[in-house]
Short mmCIF file of all heavy atoms in Angstrom, two decimals:
data_model
loop_
_atom_site.label_atom_id
_atom_site.label_comp_id
_atom_site.label_asym_id
_atom_site.label_seq_id
_atom_site.Cartn_x
_atom_site.Cartn_y
_atom_site.Cartn_z
N LEU C 181 111.08 82.67 92.52
CA LEU C 181 110.64 83.10 93.85
C LEU C 181 111.53 84.17 94.49
O LEU C 181 111.00 85.11 95.11
CB LEU C 181 110.52 81.89 94.78
CG LEU C 181 109.20 81.11 94.69
CD1 LEU C 181 109.23 79.91 95.63
CD2 LEU C 181 108.01 82.00 95.01
N PRO C 182 112.87 84.08 94.40
CA PRO C 182 113.68 85.15 95.00
C PRO C 182 113.33 86.53 94.46
O PRO C 182 113.22 87.50 95.22
CB PRO C 182 115.11 84.75 94.66
CG PRO C 182 115.05 83.27 94.51
CD PRO C 182 113.72 82.99 93.89
N SER C 183 113.13 86.62 93.14
CA SER C 183 112.77 87.91 92.55
C SER C 183 111.36 88.33 92.94
O SER C 183 111.11 89.52 93.20
CB SER C 183 112.88 87.82 91.02
OG SER C 183 112.61 89.06 90.42
N ILE C 184 110.44 87.38 93.01
CA ILE C 184 109.07 87.69 93.41
C ILE C 184 109.04 88.21 94.84
O ILE C 184 108.36 89.20 95.15
CB ILE C 184 108.17 86.45 93.26
CG1 ILE C 184 108.04 86.07 91.79
CG2 ILE C 184 106.78 86.72 93.85
CD1 ILE C 184 107.30 84.77 91.55
N PHE C 185 109.78 87.56 95.73
CA PHE C 185 109.82 88.02 97.12
C PHE C 185 110.46 89.41 97.22
O PHE C 185 110.05 90.23 98.05
CB PHE C 185 110.58 87.02 97.99
CG PHE C 185 109.71 85.93 98.55
CD1 PHE C 185 109.83 84.63 98.10
CD2 PHE C 185 108.77 86.21 99.52
CE1 PHE C 185 109.03 83.61 98.61
CE2 PHE C 185 107.97 85.21 100.05
CZ PHE C 185 108.08 83.92 99.59
N ALA C 186 111.46 89.67 96.39
CA ALA C 186 112.07 91.01 96.40
C ALA C 186 111.04 92.06 96.03
O ALA C 186 110.95 93.13 96.66
CB ALA C 186 113.25 91.05 95.43
N GLY C 187 110.23 91.77 95.03
CA GLY C 187 109.17 92.70 94.65
C GLY C 187 108.13 92.87 95.74
O GLY C 187 107.64 93.98 95.98
N MET C 188 107.79 91.77 96.42
CA MET C 188 106.81 91.84 97.49
C MET C 188 107.32 92.67 98.66
O MET C 188 106.56 93.43 99.29
CB MET C 188 106.45 90.43 97.95
CG MET C 188 105.63 89.64 96.94
SD MET C 188 105.47 87.88 97.36
CE MET C 188 104.64 87.97 98.94
N LYS C 189 108.61 92.57 98.96
CA LYS C 189 109.16 93.34 100.08
C LYS C 189 109.18 94.84 99.76
O LYS C 189 108.89 95.67 100.63
CB LYS C 189 110.55 92.82 100.44
CG LYS C 189 110.50 91.49 101.19
CD LYS C 189 111.86 91.05 101.68
CE LYS C 189 112.73 90.52 100.57
NZ LYS C 189 113.99 89.92 101.09
N VAL C 190 109.51 95.17 98.53
CA VAL C 190 109.43 96.58 98.13
C VAL C 190 107.97 97.05 98.18
O VAL C 190 107.67 98.14 98.69
CB VAL C 190 109.99 96.77 96.71
CG1 VAL C 190 109.74 98.20 96.21
CG2 VAL C 190 111.49 96.48 96.68
N ALA C 191 107.06 96.21 97.69
CA ALA C 191 105.64 96.57 97.66
C ALA C 191 105.07 96.74 99.06
O ALA C 191 104.18 97.58 99.27
CB ALA C 191 104.87 95.51 96.89
N SER C 192 105.57 95.98 100.03
CA SER C 192 105.04 96.07 101.39
C SER C 192 105.27 97.46 101.97
O SER C 192 104.42 98.01 102.68
CB SER C 192 105.66 95.00 102.28
OG SER C 192 107.04 95.25 102.52
N THR C 193 106.42 98.06 101.68
CA THR C 193 106.70 99.40 102.18
C THR C 193 105.84 100.44 101.46
O THR C 193 105.38 101.42 102.08
CB THR C 193 108.19 99.75 102.00
OG1 THR C 193 108.52 99.75 100.60
CG2 THR C 193 109.07 98.74 102.71
N LEU C 194 105.60 100.23 100.17
CA LEU C 194 104.78 101.17 99.41
C LEU C 194 103.31 101.07 99.81
O LEU C 194 102.58 102.07 99.75
CB LEU C 194 104.94 100.91 97.92
CG LEU C 194 106.34 101.16 97.35
CD1 LEU C 194 106.41 100.75 95.89
CD2 LEU C 194 106.74 102.61 97.51
N ALA C 195 102.87 99.88 100.22
CA ALA C 195 101.48 99.72 100.65
C ALA C 195 101.20 100.54 101.90
O ALA C 195 100.10 101.08 102.07
CB ALA C 195 101.18 98.24 100.91
N VAL C 196 102.19 100.66 102.78
CA VAL C 196 102.04 101.50 103.98
C VAL C 196 101.82 102.95 103.57
O VAL C 196 100.93 103.63 104.08
CB VAL C 196 103.27 101.37 104.90
CG1 VAL C 196 103.16 102.31 106.09
CG2 VAL C 196 103.43 99.93 105.38
N VAL C 197 102.64 103.43 102.63
CA VAL C 197 102.51 104.80 102.15
C VAL C 197 101.13 105.00 101.51
O VAL C 197 100.44 105.99 101.76
CB VAL C 197 103.62 105.12 101.13
CG1 VAL C 197 103.43 106.52 100.57
CG2 VAL C 197 104.99 104.98 101.77
N GLY C 198 100.72 104.03 100.69
CA GLY C 198 99.44 104.15 100.00
C GLY C 198 98.26 104.21 100.94
O GLY C 198 97.33 105.00 100.75
N ALA C 199 98.29 103.38 101.98
CA ALA C 199 97.18 103.37 102.94
C ALA C 199 97.08 104.71 103.65
O ALA C 199 95.97 105.23 103.87
CB ALA C 199 97.37 102.24 103.95
N ILE C 200 98.21 105.31 104.02
CA ILE C 200 98.19 106.60 104.70
C ILE C 200 97.71 107.71 103.78
O ILE C 200 96.93 108.58 104.18
CB ILE C 200 99.59 106.94 105.25
CG1 ILE C 200 99.92 106.00 106.41
CG2 ILE C 200 99.66 108.37 105.73
CD1 ILE C 200 98.96 106.09 107.58
N VAL C 201 98.14 107.67 102.52
CA VAL C 201 97.65 108.66 101.55
C VAL C 201 96.14 108.54 101.41
O VAL C 201 95.42 109.55 101.39
CB VAL C 201 98.33 108.46 100.18
CG1 VAL C 201 97.66 109.32 99.11
CG2 VAL C 201 99.81 108.81 100.26
N GLY C 202 95.64 107.32 101.34
CA GLY C 202 94.20 107.12 101.27
C GLY C 202 93.48 107.65 102.49
O GLY C 202 92.38 108.23 102.37
N GLU C 203 94.08 107.49 103.65
CA GLU C 203 93.46 107.99 104.89
C GLU C 203 93.52 109.51 104.96
O GLU C 203 92.62 110.15 105.53
CB GLU C 203 94.14 107.38 106.11
CG GLU C 203 93.83 105.90 106.29
CD GLU C 203 94.52 105.27 107.49
OE1 GLU C 203 95.41 105.93 108.07
OE2 GLU C 203 94.17 104.15 107.83
N PHE C 204 94.55 110.11 104.39
CA PHE C 204 94.64 111.57 104.38
C PHE C 204 93.49 112.20 103.59
O PHE C 204 93.07 113.32 103.88
CB PHE C 204 95.96 112.02 103.75
CG PHE C 204 97.14 111.93 104.68
CD1 PHE C 204 98.44 112.02 104.19
CD2 PHE C 204 96.98 111.77 106.04
CE1 PHE C 204 99.53 111.96 105.04
CE2 PHE C 204 98.06 111.69 106.91
CZ PHE C 204 99.34 111.80 106.40
N ILE C 205 92.99 111.48 102.59
CA ILE C 205 91.98 112.06 101.72
C ILE C 205 90.65 112.26 102.44
O ILE C 205 89.91 113.18 102.16
CB ILE C 205 91.78 111.17 100.48
CG1 ILE C 205 93.09 111.08 99.69
CG2 ILE C 205 90.68 111.71 99.58
CD1 ILE C 205 93.64 112.42 99.26
N GLY C 206 90.33 111.39 103.39
CA GLY C 206 89.05 111.58 104.05
C GLY C 206 88.62 110.47 104.98
O GLY C 206 87.42 110.30 105.21
N ALA C 207 89.57 109.69 105.49
CA ALA C 207 89.19 108.61 106.40
C ALA C 207 88.75 109.19 107.75
O ALA C 207 89.23 110.23 108.18
CB ALA C 207 90.36 107.65 106.60
N ARG C 208 87.85 108.47 108.40
CA ARG C 208 87.38 108.90 109.71
C ARG C 208 88.13 108.19 110.83
O ARG C 208 87.92 108.50 112.01
CB ARG C 208 85.88 108.62 109.84
CG ARG C 208 85.04 109.40 108.84
CD ARG C 208 83.56 109.13 109.02
NE ARG C 208 82.76 109.87 108.08
CZ ARG C 208 82.44 109.43 106.87
NH1 ARG C 208 82.87 108.25 106.47
NH2 ARG C 208 81.70 110.16 106.06
N ASP C 209 88.97 107.23 110.49
CA ASP C 209 89.76 106.54 111.50
C ASP C 209 91.11 106.20 110.88
O ASP C 209 91.42 106.63 109.77
CB ASP C 209 89.04 105.28 112.01
CG ASP C 209 88.60 104.37 110.87
OD1 ASP C 209 89.03 104.60 109.71
OD2 ASP C 209 87.83 103.43 111.12
N GLY C 210 91.92 105.45 111.62
CA GLY C 210 93.24 105.09 111.12
C GLY C 210 94.30 106.08 111.56
O GLY C 210 94.01 107.19 112.05
N LEU C 211 95.55 105.67 111.40
CA LEU C 211 96.67 106.51 111.83
C LEU C 211 96.80 107.78 110.98
O LEU C 211 97.31 108.79 111.45
CB LEU C 211 97.97 105.70 111.76
CG LEU C 211 98.07 104.58 112.80
CD1 LEU C 211 99.31 103.72 112.54
CD2 LEU C 211 98.13 105.15 114.22
N GLY C 212 96.34 107.72 109.73
CA GLY C 212 96.34 108.92 108.91
C GLY C 212 95.45 109.99 109.50
O GLY C 212 95.80 111.19 109.52
N ASN C 213 94.29 109.59 110.00
CA ASN C 213 93.38 110.54 110.65
C ASN C 213 94.00 111.08 111.94
O ASN C 213 93.86 112.27 112.26
CB ASN C 213 92.05 109.85 110.95
CG ASN C 213 91.02 110.81 111.52
OD1 ASN C 213 90.66 111.79 110.88
ND2 ASN C 213 90.55 110.52 112.71
N VAL C 214 94.70 110.21 112.68
CA VAL C 214 95.39 110.66 113.90
C VAL C 214 96.44 111.71 113.56
O VAL C 214 96.56 112.74 114.25
CB VAL C 214 96.05 109.46 114.63
CG1 VAL C 214 96.93 109.93 115.78
CG2 VAL C 214 94.99 108.50 115.14
N LEU C 215 97.18 111.48 112.48
CA LEU C 215 98.21 112.45 112.06
C LEU C 215 97.59 113.79 111.69
O LEU C 215 98.11 114.85 112.06
CB LEU C 215 99.00 111.88 110.89
CG LEU C 215 100.07 110.84 111.22
CD1 LEU C 215 100.54 110.14 109.96
CD2 LEU C 215 101.24 111.51 111.92
N LEU C 216 96.48 113.76 110.95
CA LEU C 216 95.83 115.00 110.54
C LEU C 216 95.31 115.77 111.74
O LEU C 216 95.46 117.00 111.83
CB LEU C 216 94.69 114.69 109.57
CG LEU C 216 95.10 114.22 108.17
CD1 LEU C 216 93.86 113.86 107.36
CD2 LEU C 216 95.91 115.29 107.44
N THR C 217 94.69 115.06 112.67
CA THR C 217 94.16 115.72 113.88
C THR C 217 95.29 116.31 114.71
O THR C 217 95.19 117.45 115.18
CB THR C 217 93.36 114.71 114.72
OG1 THR C 217 92.32 114.15 113.92
CG2 THR C 217 92.76 115.38 115.94
N ALA C 218 96.37 115.56 114.90
CA ALA C 218 97.50 116.06 115.68
C ALA C 218 98.15 117.25 115.00
O ALA C 218 98.58 118.21 115.66
CB ALA C 218 98.52 114.94 115.88
N ASN C 219 98.20 117.21 113.67
CA ASN C 219 98.79 118.34 112.92
C ASN C 219 97.98 119.62 113.12
O ASN C 219 98.54 120.70 113.29
CB ASN C 219 98.86 117.98 111.44
CG ASN C 219 99.46 119.09 110.61
OD1 ASN C 219 100.59 119.49 110.82
ND2 ASN C 219 98.69 119.59 109.66
N SER C 220 96.65 119.50 113.11
CA SER C 220 95.80 120.68 113.29
C SER C 220 95.93 121.25 114.70
O SER C 220 95.69 122.44 114.91
CB SER C 220 94.34 120.33 113.01
OG SER C 220 93.86 119.36 113.95
N ASN C 221 96.34 120.40 115.66
CA ASN C 221 96.52 120.85 117.05
C ASN C 221 97.97 121.17 117.39
O ASN C 221 98.28 121.44 118.56
CB ASN C 221 96.00 119.78 118.02
CG ASN C 221 94.51 119.55 117.89
OD1 ASN C 221 93.76 120.48 117.60
ND2 ASN C 221 94.08 118.32 118.09
N PHE C 222 98.87 121.09 116.41
CA PHE C 222 100.31 121.29 116.62
C PHE C 222 100.83 120.35 117.71
O PHE C 222 101.73 120.70 118.48
CB PHE C 222 100.62 122.75 117.00
CG PHE C 222 100.35 123.72 115.90
CD1 PHE C 222 99.15 124.41 115.84
CD2 PHE C 222 101.29 123.94 114.91
CE1 PHE C 222 98.88 125.31 114.82
CE2 PHE C 222 101.04 124.84 113.88
CZ PHE C 222 99.83 125.52 113.84
N ASP C 223 100.29 119.14 117.73
CA ASP C 223 100.69 118.13 118.72
C ASP C 223 101.74 117.22 118.08
O ASP C 223 101.43 116.12 117.60
CB ASP C 223 99.46 117.33 119.17
CG ASP C 223 99.78 116.36 120.31
OD1 ASP C 223 100.95 116.28 120.71
OD2 ASP C 223 98.84 115.69 120.77
N THR C 224 102.97 117.70 118.07
CA THR C 224 104.02 116.95 117.37
C THR C 224 104.38 115.64 118.07
O THR C 224 104.82 114.70 117.41
CB THR C 224 105.28 117.82 117.22
OG1 THR C 224 105.65 118.34 118.50
CG2 THR C 224 105.05 118.96 116.25
N ALA C 225 104.20 115.57 119.37
CA ALA C 225 104.49 114.33 120.09
C ALA C 225 103.57 113.21 119.60
O ALA C 225 104.02 112.08 119.37
CB ALA C 225 104.34 114.53 121.59
N THR C 226 102.29 113.54 119.44
CA THR C 226 101.34 112.55 118.93
C THR C 226 101.66 112.19 117.48
O THR C 226 101.53 111.03 117.07
CB THR C 226 99.90 113.08 119.03
OG1 THR C 226 99.59 113.32 120.41
CG2 THR C 226 98.90 112.09 118.46
N MET C 227 102.09 113.17 116.70
CA MET C 227 102.45 112.89 115.31
C MET C 227 103.63 111.93 115.24
O MET C 227 103.61 110.96 114.46
CB MET C 227 102.79 114.20 114.58
CG MET C 227 101.60 115.14 114.41
SD MET C 227 102.06 116.74 113.73
CE MET C 227 102.60 116.28 112.09
N PHE C 228 104.65 112.17 116.06
CA PHE C 228 105.80 111.26 116.09
C PHE C 228 105.38 109.87 116.56
O PHE C 228 105.88 108.87 116.05
CB PHE C 228 106.90 111.83 116.99
CG PHE C 228 107.88 112.72 116.30
CD1 PHE C 228 107.58 114.04 116.04
CD2 PHE C 228 109.10 112.23 115.88
CE1 PHE C 228 108.47 114.87 115.39
CE2 PHE C 228 110.01 113.03 115.23
CZ PHE C 228 109.70 114.37 114.98
N ALA C 229 104.49 109.82 117.54
CA ALA C 229 104.02 108.52 118.04
C ALA C 229 103.28 107.76 116.95
O ALA C 229 103.47 106.55 116.79
CB ALA C 229 103.12 108.73 119.25
N ALA C 230 102.43 108.46 116.18
CA ALA C 230 101.71 107.80 115.09
C ALA C 230 102.68 107.29 114.03
O ALA C 230 102.51 106.19 113.49
CB ALA C 230 100.71 108.78 114.47
N ILE C 231 103.71 108.10 113.73
CA ILE C 231 104.72 107.67 112.76
C ILE C 231 105.46 106.43 113.27
O ILE C 231 105.78 105.52 112.50
CB ILE C 231 105.70 108.83 112.48
CG1 ILE C 231 104.98 109.94 111.73
CG2 ILE C 231 106.91 108.34 111.68
CD1 ILE C 231 105.79 111.22 111.61
N LEU C 232 105.72 106.39 114.57
CA LEU C 232 106.38 105.23 115.16
C LEU C 232 105.51 103.98 115.02
O LEU C 232 106.02 102.90 114.67
CB LEU C 232 106.70 105.50 116.63
CG LEU C 232 107.46 104.39 117.38
CD1 LEU C 232 108.80 104.12 116.70
CD2 LEU C 232 107.68 104.78 118.84
N TYR C 233 104.23 104.12 115.27
CA TYR C 233 103.32 102.98 115.08
C TYR C 233 103.32 102.52 113.63
O TYR C 233 103.35 101.31 113.34
CB TYR C 233 101.89 103.36 115.50
CG TYR C 233 101.60 103.15 116.96
CD1 TYR C 233 101.74 104.18 117.88
CD2 TYR C 233 101.16 101.91 117.44
CE1 TYR C 233 101.47 104.00 119.24
CE2 TYR C 233 100.88 101.72 118.78
CZ TYR C 233 101.05 102.75 119.68
OH TYR C 233 100.78 102.56 121.01
N LEU C 234 103.30 103.47 112.70
CA LEU C 234 103.36 103.12 111.28
C LEU C 234 104.65 102.38 110.93
O LEU C 234 104.64 101.41 110.16
CB LEU C 234 103.26 104.39 110.43
CG LEU C 234 101.87 104.92 110.11
CD1 LEU C 234 101.97 106.26 109.41
CD2 LEU C 234 101.11 103.93 109.24
N THR C 235 105.75 102.86 111.49
CA THR C 235 107.04 102.22 111.25
C THR C 235 107.03 100.77 111.73
O THR C 235 107.52 99.87 111.04
CB THR C 235 108.16 103.00 111.94
OG1 THR C 235 108.16 104.35 111.47
CG2 THR C 235 109.51 102.37 111.67
N VAL C 236 106.47 100.56 112.90
CA VAL C 236 106.41 99.20 113.45
C VAL C 236 105.55 98.31 112.56
O VAL C 236 105.92 97.15 112.27
CB VAL C 236 105.85 99.24 114.89
CG1 VAL C 236 105.56 97.82 115.38
CG2 VAL C 236 106.84 99.93 115.82
N ILE C 237 104.41 98.81 112.10
CA ILE C 237 103.55 98.02 111.22
C ILE C 237 104.31 97.63 109.95
O ILE C 237 104.28 96.48 109.51
CB ILE C 237 102.27 98.80 110.87
CG1 ILE C 237 101.40 98.99 112.10
CG2 ILE C 237 101.49 98.09 109.77
CD1 ILE C 237 100.23 99.94 111.88
N GLY C 238 104.98 98.61 109.34
CA GLY C 238 105.73 98.34 108.13
C GLY C 238 106.86 97.33 108.35
O GLY C 238 107.08 96.44 107.52
N MET C 239 107.55 97.45 109.47
CA MET C 239 108.65 96.52 109.76
C MET C 239 108.14 95.11 110.03
O MET C 239 108.75 94.13 109.59
CB MET C 239 109.46 97.03 110.96
CG MET C 239 110.27 98.28 110.68
SD MET C 239 111.24 98.84 112.10
CE MET C 239 112.41 97.48 112.25
#
Side-chain angles (χ1 to χ4, degrees):
L181 277 178
S183 183
I184 294 173
F185 272 110
M188 289 169 61
K189 285 187 284 188
V190 172
S192 69
T193 62
L194 295 175
V196 176
V197 177
I200 290 300
V201 170
E203 289 179 350
F204 280 166
I205 299 303
R208 297 182 180 89
D209 53 11
L211 291 173
N213 185 59
V214 172
L215 282 167
L216 289 176
T217 303
N219 180 60
S220 64
N221 296 326
F222 294 96
D223 186 357
T224 52
T226 298
M227 293 173 66
F228 270 81
I231 292 170
L232 183 59
Y233 272 94
L234 275 173
T235 303
V236 171
I237 293 171
M239 290 181 66

